[in-house]
């Protein structure tokens, strides 16, 4: 990762999260994924003049971003909610860090290989948020 990339909000955290997850440190990696997502989302929220200081405000920012998507672009149901759905995946990483004890013995507890699968989704979203920052607009 070059110096310019590490300055993007959350990029360095995401790289460390990926490293931690690859080492089997799922708890720590999950917390880093959540922090990376919040850093990127907060930066985009700032461009829109929206607060993003906590989980509920972040959820509202994700909904807002879906609402300002280019209406001329034809989108299916899932695409219209891509930010909100991606936020949900990032929030699942938060749960695996902050509320792991509540997930034990439920179907919500991830198997080790699922962390990498869901990480790909959050990486895509953070890259999308970075593109929005560079363009200075929401998609």
């Amino acid at each position: 990762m070059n110096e310019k990339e590490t300055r993007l909000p959350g990029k360095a955290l995401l790289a460390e999260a990926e490293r931690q997850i690859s080492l089997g440190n799922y708890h720590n990696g999950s917390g880093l994924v959540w922090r990376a997502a919040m850093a990127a989302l907060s930066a985009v929220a700032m461009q829109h003049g929206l607060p993003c200081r906590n989980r509920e405000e972040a959820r509202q920012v994700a909904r807002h971003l879906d609402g300002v998507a280019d209406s001329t672009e034809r989108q299916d149901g899932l695409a219209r909610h891509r930010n909100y759905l991606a936020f949900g995946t990032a929030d699942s990483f938060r749960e695996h860090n902050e509320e792991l004890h509540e997930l034990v013995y439920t179907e919500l507890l991830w198997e080790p290989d699922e962390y990498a699968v869901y990480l790909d989704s959050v990486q895509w979203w953070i890259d999308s948020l970075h593109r929005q920052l560079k363009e200075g607009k929401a998609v």
Side-chain angles (χ1 to χ4, degrees):
M1 184 175 347
N2 65 41
E3 182 182 336
K4 187 175 181 180
E5 287 178 326
T6 60
R7 287 185 283 165
L8 291 169
K11 197 67 170 181
L13 288 168
L14 191 61
E16 181 59 19
E18 184 173 20
R19 189 178 83 75
Q20 290 295 317
I21 289 170
S22 72
L23 293 172
N25 299 326
Y26 305 116
H27 184 260
N28 291 339
S30 293
L32 291 166
V33 171
W34 172 248
R35 288 177 46 209
M38 284 296 289
L41 188 59
S42 295
V44 173
M46 189 181 304
Q47 279 187 337
H48 290 265
L50 298 171
C52 191
R53 297 169 297 230
N54 57 50
R55 180 175 166 226
E56 191 51 42
E57 288 178 353
R59 182 184 320 278
Q60 294 305 316
V61 171
R63 285 182 188 254
H64 169 80
L65 294 176
D66 286 333
V68 297
D70 183 1
S71 60
T72 62
E73 178 184 326
R74 187 171 173 187
Q75 298 177 343
D76 65 22
L78 291 178
R80 281 195 307 270
H81 304 289
R82 67 177 173 251
N83 289 288
Y84 188 69
L85 293 170
F87 171 81
T89 304
D91 193 41
S92 290
F93 276 98
R94 182 199 59 77
E95 290 175 332
H96 280 77
N97 177 256
E98 297 176 9
E99 301 169 6
L100 187 62
H101 61 282
E102 294 178 23
L103 302 177
V104 175
Y105 304 117
T106 74
E107 69 280 357
L108 301 175
L109 183 64
W110 293 341
E111 295 295 326
D113 60 334
E114 290 179 291
Y115 286 86
V117 171
Y118 294 126
L119 179 61
D120 286 346
S121 164
V122 177
Q123 285 174 321
W124 173 88
W125 185 46
I126 290 174
D127 288 344
S128 170
L129 293 171
H130 289 156
R131 283 191 301 278
Q132 292 176 46
L133 281 172
K134 290 175 188 175
E135 295 169 2
K137 66 175 188 172
V139 177

